[in-house]
Amino acid sequence: MKKYFLTGLIWLTVNVSTQAQNGNYAMGARSAAIGGTSITLGDEWALFNNVGGLAHFQEKAIFTSFKNKYGISEFTSLALGGTYPILGGTAGMGMFRFGDDLYNEQRLNLGFSNQLGIVSLGLNVSYYQLNIEGAGSRKTIMIDFGGRAELTEQLYFGAHVSNLNQAKLSTLTDERIPTIMKTGLSYRPSRDLMLNAEVEKEVDQDAVVRLGLEYKILENLSLRTGFKTKPFESSFGIGFYPGKLKADYSYNNNPDLGGIHEISIGYIFSD
């Protein structure tokens, strides 16, 4: 009983401070290291962050990520995904889990993205399940839609809506999973440097501004940094891509709650 009470108290405190996990399912240490500015990235983690960018990752790959918030085991996120080029675009399948046995959120998502001129568009359909000890489980379907446009060789634009269909968790209380809208720009003056700016808005919440920088110091080694507002968090990280293997690490610091560590590993299958 004591464990249940303490876990519940910690969960309530952190959720109030971080606007809850519910509704935000971005993953990948690369994007986390650059302040979460993932809206214009065309990598494998676009499957979780902006499915519109997935068309730019024309690879067969598997990838996974582990994220822990504030050193508390109950606030751990795990993700696993795979991509496959098909029908002129890229399809992906991903799985996500956050929480422990007392409270957890799970998603199984299928996404597809295709390139149409300078624009790539994508759709993600997810089966979502929320489990709360003593309160049962709730299940629903979520739909995400996103896009990315190459305005010039150096300038990219991205936009994404998570939970476009405003999925309900309860028909009695009309409780819904938050709908989150993101838009942003990426300036890439050279192949080694990327500067990102992004705005995130949830209904009935203040807008969040994110800024990020990535610099490739060697062909297979990148350094990253960034920050976001509301609540303020600074971040940094590193990416190392030796051959077919991809490895990324990020650390985000919340001055009030502590650190967030994330590590991502991926493998690309060559034909």
Side-chain angles (χ1 to χ4, degrees), residues 14 25 32-33 46-48 78 103 107 144 150 167 169 176 190 199 203 209 224 265 268:
V14 176
Y25 307 100
L47 177 65
F48 290 84
L78 295 169
Y103 178 104
R107 275 184 44 156
D144 302 341
E150 184 177 346
L169 286 174
R176 299 173 186 266
S190 71
V199 177
V203 177
V209 177
R224 300 157 183 151
I265 303 292
I268 298 174

Side-chain angles (χ1 to χ4, degrees), residues 43-44 47 54-63 81-94 110-114 267-271:
D43 59 12
E44 65 273 33
L47 177 65
L54 190 62
H56 298 272
F57 188 75
Q58 293 281 315
E59 303 285 355
K60 301 173 186 176
I62 56 173
F63 45 96
T83 58
Y84 191 90
I86 190 173
L87 300 175
T90 303
M93 179 176 180
L110 296 172
F112 180 77
S113 178
N114 201 2
Y267 186 83
I268 298 174
F269 299 90
S270 300
D271 291 332

